[in-house]
Amino acid sequence: MKRYQVAIIGSGPAGLLLGALLHKAGIDAIILERQSRDYVLARIRAGVLEQGTVGLLHEAGVGARVEREGLVHGGFALNFNGHSLRIDLADLTGGKTVTVYGQTEVTRDLMAHRDQIGATTVYEAKDVSLEDFDGDAPRVSYTKDGQRHQIACDFIAGCDGFHGISRASVPDQALSTFERVYPFGWLGVLADVPPCSHELIYAGHERGFALCSMRSLTRSRYYIQCSLEDRIDNWSDQAFWDELRRRLDPAAAEAVVTGPSIEKSIAPLRSFVAEPLRFGRMFLVGDAAHIVPPTGAKGLNLAASDVHYLSQALIEFYGEHSSAGIDDYSRRALARIWKAERFSWSLTTLLHRFDTMTPFERRMQDAEFAYLQSSRSACASVAENYVGLPF
Ligand code: FAS
Ligand code: PHB
Protein backbone atom coordinates (compact mmCIF):
# COMPACT_ATOMS: atom_id res chain seq x y z
CA MET A 1 0.00 0.00 0.00
CA LYS A 2 1.41 3.41 -1.03
CA ARG A 3 1.99 5.83 1.85
CA TYR A 4 1.95 9.61 1.94
CA GLN A 5 2.37 11.87 4.93
CA VAL A 6 -0.80 13.81 4.03
CA ALA A 7 -3.74 12.86 1.81
CA ILE A 8 -5.53 15.98 0.51
CA ILE A 9 -9.08 15.45 -0.74
CA GLY A 10 -9.96 18.03 -3.40
CA SER A 11 -8.01 20.01 -5.96
CA GLY A 12 -9.69 23.37 -5.46
CA PRO A 13 -7.80 26.40 -4.14
CA ALA A 14 -7.63 24.98 -0.58
CA GLY A 15 -6.23 21.59 -1.56
CA LEU A 16 -3.79 22.97 -4.11
CA LEU A 17 -2.50 25.76 -1.83
CA LEU A 18 -2.07 23.34 1.07
CA GLY A 19 -0.19 20.93 -1.19
CA ALA A 20 2.13 23.70 -2.35
CA LEU A 21 2.94 24.92 1.17
CA LEU A 22 3.51 21.37 2.47
CA HIS A 23 5.76 20.53 -0.49
CA LYS A 24 7.87 23.61 0.23
CA ALA A 25 8.37 22.26 3.77
CA GLY A 26 9.35 18.84 2.42
CA ILE A 27 6.08 17.19 3.42
CA ASP A 28 4.81 14.61 0.94
CA ALA A 29 1.11 15.03 0.06
CA ILE A 30 -1.12 13.43 -2.56
CA ILE A 31 -4.21 15.22 -3.88
CA LEU A 32 -7.27 13.17 -4.85
CA GLU A 33 -9.79 15.06 -7.00
CA ARG A 34 -13.15 13.72 -8.12
CA GLN A 35 -13.39 15.82 -11.28
CA SER A 36 -11.09 16.35 -14.23
CA ARG A 37 -8.57 19.15 -14.23
CA ASP A 38 -10.52 20.99 -16.96
CA TYR A 39 -13.78 20.68 -15.02
CA VAL A 40 -12.18 22.29 -11.97
CA LEU A 41 -10.71 25.07 -14.12
CA ALA A 42 -14.06 25.74 -15.83
CA ARG A 43 -15.68 26.85 -12.57
CA ILE A 44 -16.17 30.63 -12.45
CA ARG A 45 -16.13 31.70 -8.81
CA ALA A 46 -14.29 34.23 -6.69
CA GLY A 47 -12.63 37.37 -7.93
CA VAL A 48 -11.12 39.28 -4.98
CA LEU A 49 -7.99 38.25 -3.03
CA GLU A 50 -7.07 39.63 0.37
CA GLN A 51 -3.45 40.67 0.90
CA GLY A 52 -3.00 37.65 3.17
CA THR A 53 -4.09 35.32 0.38
CA VAL A 54 -1.70 36.95 -2.11
CA GLY A 55 1.02 36.62 0.53
CA LEU A 56 0.37 32.88 0.84
CA LEU A 57 0.59 32.46 -2.95
CA HIS A 58 4.00 34.16 -2.84
CA GLU A 59 5.02 32.00 0.15
CA ALA A 60 4.04 28.91 -1.86
CA GLY A 61 6.14 30.12 -4.80
CA VAL A 62 3.09 30.87 -6.95
CA GLY A 63 2.92 34.65 -6.73
CA ALA A 64 4.55 35.78 -9.99
CA ARG A 65 1.46 36.01 -12.24
CA VAL A 66 -0.89 37.53 -9.67
CA GLU A 67 1.83 40.13 -9.08
CA ARG A 68 2.03 40.78 -12.83
CA GLU A 69 -1.61 40.54 -13.82
CA GLY A 70 -3.62 41.10 -10.63
CA LEU A 71 -5.42 44.47 -10.35
CA VAL A 72 -4.66 46.16 -7.02
CA HIS A 73 -7.72 48.01 -5.74
CA GLY A 74 -7.57 50.68 -3.03
CA GLY A 75 -11.33 51.01 -2.62
CA PHE A 76 -14.81 50.03 -3.74
CA ALA A 77 -18.20 51.75 -3.96
CA LEU A 78 -21.39 51.06 -2.04
CA ASN A 79 -24.46 52.26 -3.88
CA PHE A 80 -27.68 52.44 -1.93
CA ASN A 81 -30.88 53.57 -3.58
CA GLY A 82 -29.03 55.95 -5.88
CA HIS A 83 -26.52 57.29 -3.33
CA SER A 84 -22.88 56.29 -3.78
CA LEU A 85 -20.30 55.95 -0.99
CA ARG A 86 -16.69 55.04 -1.71
CA ILE A 87 -15.01 52.87 0.91
CA ASP A 88 -11.40 54.06 0.72
CA LEU A 89 -9.67 50.85 1.79
CA ALA A 90 -6.12 52.21 1.67
CA ASP A 91 -6.96 55.35 3.67
CA LEU A 92 -9.09 53.52 6.24
CA THR A 93 -6.72 50.59 6.85
CA GLY A 94 -3.33 52.30 6.78
CA GLY A 95 -2.56 51.32 3.19
CA LYS A 96 -4.08 47.84 2.82
CA THR A 97 -5.61 46.89 -0.54
CA VAL A 98 -7.22 43.91 -2.27
CA THR A 99 -6.23 42.29 -5.55
CA VAL A 100 -8.74 41.46 -8.28
CA TYR A 101 -7.62 38.14 -9.77
CA GLY A 102 -10.04 35.33 -10.65
CA GLN A 103 -10.15 32.10 -8.66
CA THR A 104 -9.78 30.28 -11.96
CA GLU A 105 -6.36 31.92 -12.40
CA VAL A 106 -5.34 31.08 -8.82
CA THR A 107 -6.27 27.45 -9.50
CA ARG A 108 -4.45 27.49 -12.84
CA ASP A 109 -1.28 28.86 -11.23
CA LEU A 110 -1.39 26.31 -8.40
CA MET A 111 -1.98 23.41 -10.82
CA ALA A 112 0.93 24.53 -13.00
CA HIS A 113 3.14 24.76 -9.92
CA ARG A 114 2.11 21.25 -8.83
CA ASP A 115 3.04 19.94 -12.28
CA GLN A 116 6.43 21.66 -12.04
CA ILE A 117 7.25 20.14 -8.64
CA GLY A 118 6.09 16.71 -9.83
CA ALA A 119 3.73 16.20 -6.89
CA THR A 120 1.05 13.51 -7.20
CA THR A 121 -2.49 14.55 -8.07
CA VAL A 122 -5.06 11.95 -9.11
CA TYR A 123 -7.86 13.57 -11.15
CA GLU A 124 -11.14 11.75 -11.72
CA ALA A 125 -10.54 9.79 -8.51
CA LYS A 126 -13.98 8.32 -7.93
CA ASP A 127 -15.68 7.01 -4.78
CA VAL A 128 -13.10 8.38 -2.39
CA SER A 129 -13.60 6.93 1.09
CA LEU A 130 -11.84 7.87 4.32
CA GLU A 131 -11.08 5.07 6.76
CA ASP A 132 -9.86 5.06 10.39
CA PHE A 133 -9.18 8.78 10.41
CA ASP A 134 -10.10 8.83 14.12
CA GLY A 135 -7.30 6.33 14.80
CA ASP A 136 -3.52 6.53 14.31
CA ALA A 137 -3.42 4.89 10.86
CA PRO A 138 -5.86 6.61 8.52
CA ARG A 139 -6.34 5.26 5.00
CA VAL A 140 -7.98 6.63 1.88
CA SER A 141 -9.46 4.47 -0.89
CA TYR A 142 -10.51 5.57 -4.36
CA THR A 143 -11.25 4.20 -7.82
CA LYS A 144 -9.29 5.34 -10.85
CA ASP A 145 -9.96 3.93 -14.35
CA GLY A 146 -12.01 1.14 -12.79
CA GLN A 147 -9.21 0.08 -10.45
CA ARG A 148 -9.63 0.42 -6.65
CA HIS A 149 -6.63 1.89 -4.82
CA GLN A 150 -5.84 2.36 -1.14
CA ILE A 151 -3.23 4.62 0.40
CA ALA A 152 -1.96 4.99 3.95
CA CYS A 153 -1.23 8.41 5.41
CA ASP A 154 -0.57 10.22 8.67
CA PHE A 155 -3.23 12.90 8.12
CA ILE A 156 -6.21 13.64 5.86
CA ALA A 157 -7.02 17.23 4.80
CA GLY A 158 -10.67 17.48 3.75
CA CYS A 159 -10.45 20.21 1.12
CA ASP A 160 -13.39 18.83 -0.86
CA GLY A 161 -15.87 21.66 -0.63
CA PHE A 162 -19.41 21.91 0.68
CA HIS A 163 -20.63 18.73 -1.04
CA GLY A 164 -17.50 16.69 -0.38
CA ILE A 165 -17.00 13.35 1.36
CA SER A 166 -14.88 14.58 4.26
CA ARG A 167 -17.49 16.34 6.39
CA ALA A 168 -20.01 13.69 5.29
CA SER A 169 -17.72 11.01 6.79
CA VAL A 170 -17.97 12.50 10.28
CA PRO A 171 -20.61 10.88 12.51
CA ASP A 172 -23.53 13.31 12.99
CA GLN A 173 -23.16 13.29 16.76
CA ALA A 174 -19.55 14.48 16.45
CA LEU A 175 -20.45 17.57 14.43
CA SER A 176 -22.38 20.77 15.14
CA THR A 177 -23.55 22.82 12.17
CA PHE A 178 -24.85 26.38 11.95
CA GLU A 179 -26.67 27.54 8.83
CA ARG A 180 -28.63 30.40 7.28
CA VAL A 181 -29.98 29.81 3.78
CA TYR A 182 -30.86 33.10 2.03
CA PRO A 183 -34.16 33.40 0.15
CA PHE A 184 -32.46 34.47 -3.08
CA GLY A 185 -29.51 33.66 -5.36
CA TRP A 186 -27.00 35.52 -7.51
CA LEU A 187 -27.25 35.42 -11.29
CA GLY A 188 -23.69 35.94 -12.55
CA VAL A 189 -22.54 36.91 -16.05
CA LEU A 190 -18.99 36.94 -17.42
CA ALA A 191 -18.45 39.04 -20.57
CA ASP A 192 -15.47 40.29 -22.55
CA VAL A 193 -16.39 43.95 -22.11
CA PRO A 194 -14.51 46.64 -20.17
CA PRO A 195 -15.69 47.16 -16.58
CA CYS A 196 -18.14 50.03 -15.97
CA SER A 197 -15.90 51.38 -13.21
CA HIS A 198 -12.24 51.07 -12.22
CA GLU A 199 -13.35 49.68 -8.83
CA LEU A 200 -16.08 47.26 -7.71
CA ILE A 201 -19.59 48.58 -7.12
CA TYR A 202 -21.90 46.86 -4.59
CA ALA A 203 -25.42 48.19 -5.17
CA GLY A 204 -28.44 47.83 -2.86
CA HIS A 205 -31.61 48.74 -4.74
CA GLU A 206 -35.33 48.17 -4.10
CA ARG A 207 -35.31 45.90 -7.16
CA GLY A 208 -32.50 43.87 -5.60
CA PHE A 209 -28.74 43.69 -5.16
CA ALA A 210 -26.24 44.11 -8.01
CA LEU A 211 -22.45 43.80 -8.13
CA CYS A 212 -20.10 45.18 -10.77
CA SER A 213 -16.79 43.33 -10.71
CA MET A 214 -14.12 42.36 -13.19
CA ARG A 215 -11.42 39.86 -14.11
CA SER A 216 -9.25 42.30 -16.10
CA LEU A 217 -9.59 45.67 -17.86
CA THR A 218 -11.26 43.86 -20.77
CA ARG A 219 -13.31 41.20 -18.95
CA SER A 220 -16.16 42.03 -16.57
CA ARG A 221 -18.06 39.98 -13.99
CA TYR A 222 -21.55 41.16 -13.03
CA TYR A 223 -24.14 39.75 -10.62
CA ILE A 224 -27.75 40.56 -9.86
CA GLN A 225 -29.82 39.17 -7.00
CA CYS A 226 -32.42 36.76 -8.37
CA SER A 227 -35.12 34.50 -6.97
CA LEU A 228 -34.31 30.90 -6.08
CA GLU A 229 -36.91 29.86 -8.65
CA ASP A 230 -35.04 31.71 -11.41
CA ARG A 231 -33.36 29.76 -14.20
CA ILE A 232 -30.63 31.07 -16.50
CA ASP A 233 -32.93 30.29 -19.48
CA ASN A 234 -35.26 32.98 -18.10
CA TRP A 235 -32.54 35.57 -18.66
CA SER A 236 -31.47 36.65 -22.12
CA ASP A 237 -28.30 38.71 -22.16
CA GLN A 238 -30.35 41.83 -22.95
CA ALA A 239 -32.72 41.17 -20.06
CA PHE A 240 -29.70 40.84 -17.75
CA TRP A 241 -28.07 44.08 -18.94
CA ASP A 242 -31.35 46.00 -18.65
CA GLU A 243 -31.96 44.77 -15.07
CA LEU A 244 -28.36 45.43 -14.05
CA ARG A 245 -28.61 49.03 -15.27
CA ARG A 246 -31.91 49.56 -13.39
CA ARG A 247 -30.15 48.72 -10.13
CA LEU A 248 -27.10 50.99 -10.57
CA ASP A 249 -26.70 54.74 -10.04
CA PRO A 250 -27.18 56.69 -13.30
CA ALA A 251 -23.46 57.28 -13.90
CA ALA A 252 -22.56 53.61 -13.46
CA ALA A 253 -25.58 52.48 -15.50
CA GLU A 254 -24.50 54.79 -18.30
CA ALA A 255 -20.96 53.39 -18.20
CA VAL A 256 -21.99 49.72 -18.51
CA VAL A 257 -20.67 48.29 -21.80
CA THR A 258 -22.80 45.32 -22.85
CA GLY A 259 -21.77 42.31 -24.90
CA PRO A 260 -22.45 38.58 -25.25
CA SER A 261 -22.15 36.57 -22.05
CA ILE A 262 -19.40 33.94 -22.10
CA GLU A 263 -20.66 32.40 -18.86
CA LYS A 264 -23.97 32.69 -17.07
CA SER A 265 -24.82 30.89 -13.80
CA ILE A 266 -27.01 31.10 -10.72
CA ALA A 267 -25.52 30.44 -7.28
CA PRO A 268 -27.55 30.02 -4.09
CA LEU A 269 -26.40 31.96 -1.01
CA ARG A 270 -25.85 30.45 2.36
CA SER A 271 -23.96 31.00 5.61
CA PHE A 272 -22.68 27.74 7.06
CA VAL A 273 -20.15 26.63 9.66
CA ALA A 274 -19.30 23.13 10.91
CA GLU A 275 -17.69 22.67 14.31
CA PRO A 276 -15.17 21.38 15.21
CA LEU A 277 -12.77 21.18 12.25
CA ARG A 278 -10.67 18.27 13.48
CA PHE A 279 -11.58 14.61 13.87
CA GLY A 280 -8.56 12.60 14.97
CA ARG A 281 -6.23 12.63 11.98
CA MET A 282 -8.69 14.40 9.63
CA PHE A 283 -9.13 18.18 9.28
CA LEU A 284 -11.85 20.16 7.47
CA VAL A 285 -10.55 23.04 5.35
CA GLY A 286 -12.21 25.73 3.20
CA ASP A 287 -15.72 25.19 1.87
CA ALA A 288 -15.76 21.71 3.43
CA ALA A 289 -15.88 23.55 6.76
CA HIS A 290 -17.78 26.75 5.99
CA ILE A 291 -19.69 28.73 3.40
CA VAL A 292 -20.25 32.48 3.23
CA PRO A 293 -22.53 34.50 0.94
CA PRO A 294 -20.12 35.98 -1.67
CA THR A 295 -21.18 39.56 -0.77
CA GLY A 296 -18.08 40.05 1.37
CA ALA A 297 -15.66 38.30 -1.06
CA LYS A 298 -14.58 36.02 1.80
CA GLY A 299 -15.08 32.43 0.56
CA LEU A 300 -11.79 31.84 -1.19
CA ASN A 301 -9.91 34.01 1.31
CA LEU A 302 -11.23 32.03 4.29
CA ALA A 303 -10.08 28.82 2.58
CA ALA A 304 -6.64 30.43 2.36
CA SER A 305 -6.50 31.31 6.06
CA ASP A 306 -7.57 27.77 7.01
CA VAL A 307 -4.69 26.52 4.85
CA HIS A 308 -2.32 28.93 6.57
CA TYR A 309 -3.23 27.56 10.00
CA LEU A 310 -3.21 23.89 8.99
CA SER A 311 0.03 24.05 6.98
CA GLN A 312 1.77 25.75 9.93
CA ALA A 313 0.42 23.06 12.26
CA LEU A 314 1.56 20.17 10.06
CA ILE A 315 4.98 21.72 9.47
CA GLU A 316 5.34 22.07 13.24
CA PHE A 317 4.26 18.45 13.75
CA TYR A 318 6.83 17.05 11.33
CA GLY A 319 9.56 19.59 12.01
CA GLU A 320 9.36 19.95 15.79
CA HIS A 321 7.47 16.76 16.67
CA SER A 322 4.90 18.96 18.39
CA SER A 323 1.15 18.43 18.10
CA ALA A 324 0.35 21.82 19.64
CA GLY A 325 -0.55 23.30 16.25
CA ILE A 326 -2.79 20.48 15.09
CA ASP A 327 -4.46 20.40 18.51
CA ASP A 328 -5.19 24.14 18.15
CA TYR A 329 -6.13 24.21 14.44
CA SER A 330 -9.89 24.08 14.92
CA ARG A 331 -10.00 26.83 17.55
CA ARG A 332 -7.67 29.12 15.63
CA ALA A 333 -9.41 28.68 12.26
CA LEU A 334 -12.93 29.02 13.72
CA ALA A 335 -12.03 32.30 15.46
CA ARG A 336 -11.35 33.92 12.05
CA ILE A 337 -14.13 32.01 10.26
CA TRP A 338 -16.87 33.35 12.53
CA LYS A 339 -15.70 36.96 12.08
CA ALA A 340 -15.82 36.55 8.30
CA GLU A 341 -19.26 34.91 8.61
CA ARG A 342 -20.44 37.96 10.56
CA PHE A 343 -19.11 40.42 7.98
CA SER A 344 -20.52 38.48 5.01
CA TRP A 345 -23.91 38.12 6.70
CA SER A 346 -24.07 41.80 7.68
CA LEU A 347 -23.18 43.10 4.19
CA THR A 348 -25.68 40.66 2.64
CA THR A 349 -28.38 41.84 5.05
CA LEU A 350 -27.63 45.49 4.25
CA LEU A 351 -27.59 45.23 0.46
CA HIS A 352 -30.20 42.64 -0.51
CA ARG A 353 -33.98 42.85 -0.74
CA PHE A 354 -35.72 40.32 1.52
CA ASP A 355 -39.42 39.85 0.69
CA THR A 356 -40.01 38.98 4.34
CA MET A 357 -38.49 42.23 5.66
CA THR A 358 -40.81 44.31 7.86
CA PRO A 359 -41.00 48.10 7.30
CA PHE A 360 -38.88 48.47 10.44
CA GLU A 361 -36.17 46.19 9.01
CA ARG A 362 -36.19 48.18 5.78
CA ARG A 363 -35.64 51.34 7.82
CA MET A 364 -32.74 49.59 9.54
CA GLN A 365 -31.11 49.11 6.13
CA ASP A 366 -31.58 52.81 5.37
CA ALA A 367 -30.20 53.75 8.80
CA GLU A 368 -27.19 51.44 8.41
CA PHE A 369 -26.26 53.11 5.12
CA ALA A 370 -26.88 56.59 6.54
CA TYR A 371 -24.56 55.70 9.45
CA LEU A 372 -21.86 54.59 7.01
CA GLN A 373 -22.26 57.86 5.12
CA SER A 374 -21.78 59.84 8.35
CA SER A 375 -19.10 57.85 10.18
CA ARG A 376 -15.45 57.24 9.32
CA SER A 377 -15.35 54.61 12.08
CA ALA A 378 -18.24 52.70 10.49
CA CYS A 379 -16.47 52.80 7.11
CA ALA A 380 -13.21 51.75 8.76
CA SER A 381 -14.98 48.70 10.18
CA VAL A 382 -16.20 47.70 6.71
CA ALA A 383 -12.75 48.37 5.25
CA GLU A 384 -10.77 46.33 7.79
CA ASN A 385 -13.07 43.35 7.25
CA TYR A 386 -13.03 43.67 3.47
CA VAL A 387 -9.22 43.73 3.21
CA GLY A 388 -9.14 40.75 5.58
CA LEU A 389 -8.71 40.56 9.35
CA PRO A 390 -5.25 39.43 10.48
CA PHE A 391 -4.46 35.70 10.40
P1 FAS B 1 -13.85 24.03 -3.76
O1 FAS B 1 -15.31 23.66 -3.74
O2 FAS B 1 -13.37 25.10 -4.66
O3 FAS B 1 -12.99 22.73 -4.14
C1 FAS B 1 -13.33 21.46 -3.63
C2 FAS B 1 -12.82 20.42 -4.62
O4 FAS B 1 -13.07 19.13 -4.07
C3 FAS B 1 -13.56 20.49 -5.94
O5 FAS B 1 -12.63 20.53 -7.01
C4 FAS B 1 -14.39 19.20 -5.97
O6 FAS B 1 -14.52 18.66 -7.26
C5 FAS B 1 -13.57 18.29 -5.08
N1 FAS B 1 -14.36 17.22 -4.46
C6 FAS B 1 -15.61 17.31 -3.97
N2 FAS B 1 -16.01 16.11 -3.49
C7 FAS B 1 -14.97 15.24 -3.68
C8 FAS B 1 -14.76 13.87 -3.40
N3 FAS B 1 -15.72 13.14 -2.81
N4 FAS B 1 -13.59 13.30 -3.75
C9 FAS B 1 -12.61 14.06 -4.32
N5 FAS B 1 -12.74 15.38 -4.62
C10 FAS B 1 -13.92 15.95 -4.30
N6 FAS B 1 -16.04 33.06 -3.07
C11 FAS B 1 -15.69 34.35 -3.15
O7 FAS B 1 -14.83 34.79 -2.37
N7 FAS B 1 -16.27 35.18 -4.07
C12 FAS B 1 -17.21 34.72 -4.97
O8 FAS B 1 -17.72 35.46 -5.79
C13 FAS B 1 -17.60 33.38 -4.94
N8 FAS B 1 -18.51 32.88 -5.83
C14 FAS B 1 -18.87 31.55 -5.74
C15 FAS B 1 -19.80 31.00 -6.64
C16 FAS B 1 -20.17 29.65 -6.55
C17 FAS B 1 -21.19 29.06 -7.51
C18 FAS B 1 -19.61 28.84 -5.54
C19 FAS B 1 -20.03 27.38 -5.39
C20 FAS B 1 -18.68 29.38 -4.65
C21 FAS B 1 -18.30 30.73 -4.76
N9 FAS B 1 -17.36 31.30 -3.90
C22 FAS B 1 -16.98 32.58 -3.96
C23 FAS B 1 -16.74 30.51 -2.89
C24 FAS B 1 -15.65 29.73 -3.52
O9 FAS B 1 -14.79 30.56 -4.22
C25 FAS B 1 -15.02 28.90 -2.44
O10 FAS B 1 -14.82 29.65 -1.27
C26 FAS B 1 -13.72 28.28 -2.86
O11 FAS B 1 -13.94 27.54 -4.03
C27 FAS B 1 -13.24 27.41 -1.70
O12 FAS B 1 -12.25 26.58 -2.16
P2 FAS B 1 -12.17 25.07 -1.66
O13 FAS B 1 -12.38 25.03 -0.20
O14 FAS B 1 -10.93 24.54 -2.26
O15 FAS B 1 -13.46 24.33 -2.25
C1 PHB C 1 -16.30 38.39 -8.36
O1 PHB C 1 -15.59 39.14 -9.05
O2 PHB C 1 -16.68 37.25 -8.75
C2 PHB C 1 -16.72 38.85 -6.99
C3 PHB C 1 -16.12 39.96 -6.44
C4 PHB C 1 -16.51 40.38 -5.17
C5 PHB C 1 -17.49 39.68 -4.48
C6 PHB C 1 -18.08 38.55 -5.04
C7 PHB C 1 -17.70 38.13 -6.31
O3 PHB C 1 -17.87 40.10 -3.24
Side-chain angles (χ1 to χ4, degrees), residues 101-114:
Y101 190 73
Q103 175 173 325
T104 305
E105 304 318 312
V106 172
T107 308
R108 198 188 312 281
D109 293 344
L110 285 164
M111 283 180 175
H113 174 264
R114 196 158 176 83

Side-chain angles (χ1 to χ4, degrees), residues 45-48 186 200 202 211 213-215 221 223 294-297:
R45 288 191 174 166
V48 171
W186 278 16
L200 272 61
Y202 290 80
L211 170 59
S213 183
M214 63 194 80
R215 290 293 178 269
R221 179 69 169 164
Y223 298 92
T295 324

Side-chain angles (χ1 to χ4, degrees), residues 21-22 24-25 27 59 310-321:
L21 291 169
L22 294 181
K24 184 181 169 195
I27 297 169
E59 190 184 324
L310 184 58
S311 61
Q312 273 192 339
L314 291 169
I315 291 165
E316 182 187 77
F317 176 84
Y318 285 108
E320 299 164 35
H321 309 294

Side-chain angles (χ1 to χ4, degrees), residues 274-333:
E275 288 185 358
L277 303 184
R278 180 209 182 165
F279 306 89
R281 295 284 182 129
M282 194 262 277
F283 303 92
L284 297 179
V285 186
D287 276 18
H290 45 73
I291 296 286
V292 283
T295 324
K298 293 292 146 227
L300 173 56
N301 294 296
L302 262 188
S305 52
D306 293 350
V307 167
H308 167 71
Y309 298 133
L310 184 58
S311 61
Q312 273 192 339
L314 291 169
I315 291 165
E316 182 187 77
F317 176 84
Y318 285 108
E320 299 164 35
H321 309 294
S322 160
S323 63
I326 56 175
D327 295 344
D328 198 33
Y329 165 71
S330 182
R331 181 201 64 77
R332 243 182 126 196

Side-chain angles (χ1 to χ4, degrees), residues 105-247:
E105 304 318 312
V106 172
T107 308
R108 198 188 312 281
D109 293 344
L110 285 164
M111 283 180 175
H113 174 264
R114 196 158 176 83
D115 293 344
Q116 280 156 16
I117 62 177
T120 308
T121 307
V122 181
Y123 287 100
E124 297 176 282
K126 302 299 184 189
D127 305 321
V128 168
S129 72
L130 316 183
E131 291 128 30
D132 294 337
F133 54 82
D134 47 2
D136 286 339
R139 297 183 313 283
V140 179
S141 302
Y142 63 94
T143 298
K144 172 71 178 172
D145 301 334
Q147 179 107 34
R148 195 73 178 153
H149 299 264
Q150 190 171 59
I151 58 173
C153 54
D154 299 331
F155 298 103
I156 299 170
C159 301
D160 47 351
F162 186 69
H163 300 290
I165 187 67
S166 299
R167 193 179 73 248
S169 300
V170 177
D172 287 348
Q173 64 274 17
L175 200 65
S176 300
T177 60
F178 306 84
E179 186 169 50
R180 164 103 158 88
V181 177
Y182 296 90
F184 41 74
W186 278 16
L187 167 60
V189 158
L190 194 65
D192 280 331
V193 293
C196 68
S197 165
H198 68 294
E199 293 179 329
L200 272 61
I201 301 174
Y202 290 80
H205 189 277
E206 57 253 21
R207 296 179 65 92
F209 170 80
L211 170 59
C212 305
S213 183
M214 63 194 80
R215 290 293 178 269
S216 70
L217 298 181
T218 59
R219 177 167 286 191
S220 297
R221 179 69 169 164
Y222 290 107
Y223 298 92
I224 58 172
Q225 172 185 344
C226 65
S227 93
L228 287 173
E229 289 66 48
D230 248 328
R231 296 287 171 268
I232 49 176
D233 298 346
N234 300 349
W235 289 89
S236 67
D237 285 358
Q238 194 53 53
F240 177 86
W241 295 121
D242 293 345
E243 186 58 33
L244 172 73
R245 282 179 162 141
R246 289 188 197 102
R247 299 186 187 185

